[in-house]
Amino acid sequence: MKHLRKSLLLLLLATPFALLAHESGDHWHPAKFAVELEHAPTPIPERVVLTWNDDPATTQAVTWRTDTSVKQAVAEIAIANANGRALKPDRFKATTEFFKSDINEAHYHSVTFRSLEPDTLYAYRVGDGENWSEYFHFRTASATAEPFTFIYFGDAQNEVKTHWSRVFREAFSEAPRAAFSLHAGDLINRDELDAEWGEWHGAPGWVNGTIPVIATPGNHEYFRANQGPANERFWNAKDGAALDLDVEIVETKSDDGKELYKVTARSADGRSAYLEVNDDDEIILVGEGVEELTGYLEEDLLGTEVDKQPLRDRLQNRGIPTVSTHWRPQFSFPLQGGPGGTEETCYYIDYQGTRFISLDSNRSREEQVPWLRKVLEDNTNRWTVLTFHHPIFSPASDRDNKELRELWKPVFDEFKVDLVLNGHDHTYARTGDIRDTADFANIPSGYQQAYDPEIGTVYVVSVSGPKMYDITKGDFAKRVAEDAQLYQVISIAGDELEYKAFTATGRLYDAFTLKKRAGRPNELIELLPAENRREE
């Protein structure tokens, strides 16, 4: 009897494990968790991000997101101490706005703390009085030109959670006391997709709540309002004609699970052509009818981007360029009269003796010239750093921004801007003095003064995400890289600016120092490590 009871007990104990083993065996398949659930807002504050809309020495802006059940949000702040329970914070009422994205409805909340003490560590939290974030720290800027460090990122854009997170975290490990992070556009790939913005906020996580963000918009933060029908498009023909086409695009998956687009174009006279395009916009198959319709051979198009030369697929009615509806609810940048609809994309911030200027290279380029001139004329800071998305010196032959260069570079030269930080081209290229190299004779037209020692401006294009292009025009640059995710750590102290570029694994890839000289252009001191143009 005792033996039977023992056997029965063992059987009862073993049964759940047997069922679990069965259920978790060969018959189980993982299911994709819905993005609507993954990125659903709740009453708990999330996407907490610090920005500046005023003087960094005495103010600090913070924005965050909750679900719509939070009707009135607040923020609390106190000078940080060593005993959290002894904090006696002041409470500030937030400004709240409703936001509807493609997958959810939310409330975005914003507070600007004012009358802060310079160079002081503060503790703050955000919430609704019942549901709170943790306490974060931030330090206000010094009121004087003290040394500081910041981190610069080129495009994150694609697979942000999967492949950009580690780059940000490696950068933070390299410079954990950075004053802020600077993002040169294309933070995400599709401006309207809340899940992509969720990944961008998720990659830095709590860091955005303690180290402020300066960001300039890229073309992927923009959409075209009041566009014509998506199927009415132009393609370039080999003879230069713009072909008026009806284009059908079918989204599917390739054999390896990646996005694939099957494109069929039809002309009014009954001709048709077929292409296949991958998620990087590269033409991977040139099908039937393409040569007859466009005049291009397979080798002319294969591997090129469908919206770039030579085909240049584009809408017939492109609409009005408009910054993402996510931009202003989640960031609070200065309102400084940005021309032509560029408020909170065209602005400047003075930080400890350096003026940081964001220009918007996506729209109203000519209108920004007088605005920029005034901002530079009124600049009393020792250093000037500009950021905008599209480089005026591109390392890709089919991506030259000649109009932008002709509009903006004369102003940069006139005021001897120190450093220009760009993205867009998914490679790395940094200008320097190459007059004593063999490359100097091969510099393409318009690029002869990419670095002018009589001016001293250094231009940088970088990329931090996994999307990569080839360098097809790099002879103008002192240092180049392709197939490499990078981040840059830049320190300014007195008359010296120290620049270091690192790969995603933390390996030093590029380095130089700019040194101020009285009545003369900056001295550029090269500190180059061994070059490896491609990262494996």
Side-chain angles (χ1 to χ4, degrees):
M1 195 73 170
K2 196 180 290 185
H3 170 74
L4 290 174
R5 281 200 299 269
K6 184 177 179 182
S7 298
L8 181 60
L9 179 61
L10 289 172
L11 179 62
L12 290 171
L13 289 172
T15 299
F17 294 100
L19 289 171
L20 181 62
H22 174 74
E23 291 177 359
S24 62
D26 294 338
H27 299 289
W28 177 83
H29 298 285
K32 174 70 174 175
F33 191 63
V35 293
E36 293 86 352
L37 298 176
E38 182 182 3
H39 297 283
T42 73
I44 307 301
E46 57 161 2
R47 302 189 185 183
V48 180
V49 58
L50 295 179
T51 54
W52 288 299
N53 56 39
D54 209 329
D55 183 359
T58 58
T59 69
Q60 181 66 71
V62 58
T63 58
W64 68 99
R65 187 185 82 151
T66 66
D67 67 15
T68 57
S69 72
V70 178
K71 307 300 183 185
Q72 181 55 65
V74 294
E76 293 187 339
I77 187 170
I79 292 178
N81 64 11
N83 178 7
R85 289 182 176 178
L87 284 171
K88 298 186 184 303
D90 295 320
R91 180 174 288 193
F92 295 87
K93 187 177 177 180
T95 299
T96 297
E97 65 176 294
F98 173 79
F99 183 78
K100 182 176 177 61
S101 76
D102 62 311
I103 57 173
N104 55 51
E105 296 179 348
H107 277 165
Y108 276 87
H109 314 281
S110 178
V111 166
T112 299
F113 301 119
R114 300 188 181 277
S115 301
L116 304 178
E117 294 295 321
D119 194 17
T120 301
L121 188 68
Y122 283 90
Y124 79 97
R125 64 177 179 172
V126 298
D128 58 11
E130 187 66 36
N131 303 290
W132 291 102
S133 71
E134 67 270 47
Y135 269 102
F136 296 90
H137 280 176
F138 69 81
R139 182 175 292 278
T140 50
S142 172
T144 58
E146 299 298 323
F148 68 95
T149 295
F150 69 96
I151 306 169
Y152 148 53
F153 296 100
D155 305 35
Q157 189 177 341
N158 304 90
E159 301 161 87
V160 170
K161 178 181 177 181
T162 303
H163 291 303
W164 186 67
S165 300
R166 69 188 183 109
V167 180
F168 183 95
R169 294 165 192 178
E170 189 69 30
F172 179 72
S173 297
E174 185 69 38
R177 295 294 180 184
F180 55 87
S181 62
L182 184 151
H183 303 260
D186 281 6
L187 287 63
I188 44 74
N189 189 46
R190 299 265 304 271
D191 76 279
E192 79 280 12
L193 296 187
D194 188 71
E196 291 194 9
W197 285 109
E199 289 194 3
W200 184 85
H201 284 278
W206 62 268
V207 178
N208 278 352
T210 198
I211 295 179
V213 167
I214 292 176
T216 195
N219 52 298
H220 285 270
E221 274 80 56
Y222 263 79
F223 69 98
R224 295 272 177 168
N226 304 319
Q227 288 182 331
N231 62 302
E232 294 179 3
R233 312 186 75 82
F234 287 130
W235 284 6
N236 282 358
K238 195 165 188 176
D239 63 7
L243 301 173
D244 183 342
L245 300 172
D246 185 325
V247 178
E248 178 187 5
I249 303 173
V250 177
E251 183 176 348
T252 183
K253 297 281 187 182
S254 62
D255 292 340
D256 57 3
K258 295 183 179 179
E259 301 295 330
L260 178 68
Y261 302 91
K262 297 183 176 182
V263 181
T264 303
R266 298 178 179 87
S267 62
D269 60 7
R271 291 178 297 165
S272 66
Y274 178 78
L275 297 171
E276 290 186 3
V277 179
N278 68 15
D279 198 35
D280 288 332
D281 297 328
E282 290 181 2
I283 297 171
I284 59 173
L285 186 148
V286 178
E288 187 176 350
V290 172
E291 183 180 354
E292 180 187 353
L293 180 64
T294 69
Y296 291 116
L297 302 175
E298 180 180 31
E299 54 264 33
D300 295 328
L301 298 178
L302 206 59
T304 66
E305 292 180 67
V306 68
D307 59 336
K308 303 296 187 303
Q309 297 287 4
L311 199 62
R312 279 204 63 217
D313 169 71
R314 61 207 183 273
L315 280 171
Q316 293 182 16
N317 179 0
R318 299 190 65 201
I320 302 166
T322 306
V323 75
S324 170
T325 54
H326 279 82
W327 189 265
R328 293 186 72 170
Q330 68 189 1
F331 299 133
S332 183
F333 295 128
L335 296 171
Q336 295 165 329
T342 61
E343 287 284 16
E344 287 196 84
T345 62
C346 186
Y347 61 88
Y348 67 89
I349 292 168
D350 292 339
Y351 191 93
Q352 293 183 190
T354 302
R355 175 157 290 186
F356 291 88
I357 303 172
S358 166
L359 297 176
D360 191 338
S361 56
N362 300 279
R363 64 176 301 172
S364 308
R365 294 172 168 185
E366 189 169 356
E367 292 95 319
Q368 291 176 64
V369 172
W371 181 91
L372 174 62
R373 181 177 296 280
K374 183 71 165 59
V375 168
L376 291 172
E377 285 174 346
D378 295 343
N379 183 16
T380 59
N381 292 276
R382 186 68 166 147
W383 294 90
T384 304
V385 177
L386 265 64
T387 185
F388 51 91
H389 186 59
H390 300 82
I392 64 173
F393 296 110
S394 171
S397 299
D398 60 346
R399 297 169 72 86
D400 186 24
N401 294 293
K402 181 181 178 183
E403 176 198 358
L404 193 64
R405 182 167 61 252
E406 292 175 348
L407 275 173
W408 289 0
K409 187 176 184 294
V411 186
F412 301 168
D413 290 351
E414 179 182 347
F415 291 92
K416 292 184 170 57
V417 166
D418 299 298
L419 185 62
V420 177
L421 304 176
N422 303 127
H424 189 58
D425 282 342
H426 298 269
T427 53
Y428 181 82
R430 191 266 296 174
T431 62
D433 194 348
I434 61 168
R435 290 174 299 172
D436 60 348
T437 69
D439 288 337
F440 189 67
N442 300 318
I443 294 177
S445 176
Y447 283 57
Q448 289 85 353
Q449 291 183 310
Y451 177 77
D452 183 347
E454 296 303 314
I455 301 296
T457 305
V458 174
Y459 294 84
V460 185
V461 179
S462 189
V463 58
S464 58
K467 181 179 178 180
M468 300 295 169
Y469 296 156
D470 290 335
I471 291 174
T472 54
K473 187 173 58 179
D475 292 338
F476 71 93
K478 184 72 173 181
R479 186 73 162 159
V480 295
E482 53 190 1
D483 300 326
Q485 293 175 253
L486 300 114
Y487 61 88
Q488 291 70 221
V489 176
I490 302 170
S491 299
I492 297 177
D495 287 341
E496 291 193 358
L497 181 152
E498 181 187 77
Y499 173 104
K500 293 181 179 179
F502 297 87
T503 68
T505 58
R507 183 174 69 85
L508 182 65
Y509 186 80
D510 190 14
F512 65 86
T513 296
L514 289 179
K515 189 172 183 178
K516 290 286 181 184
R517 299 184 293 186
R520 302 170 62 194
N522 294 337
E523 179 185 7
L524 172 58
I525 304 168
E526 296 286 356
L527 303 168
L528 292 173
E531 182 174 14
N532 179 11
R533 179 161 164 163
R534 288 182 181 268
E535 283 294 306
E536 300 300 331

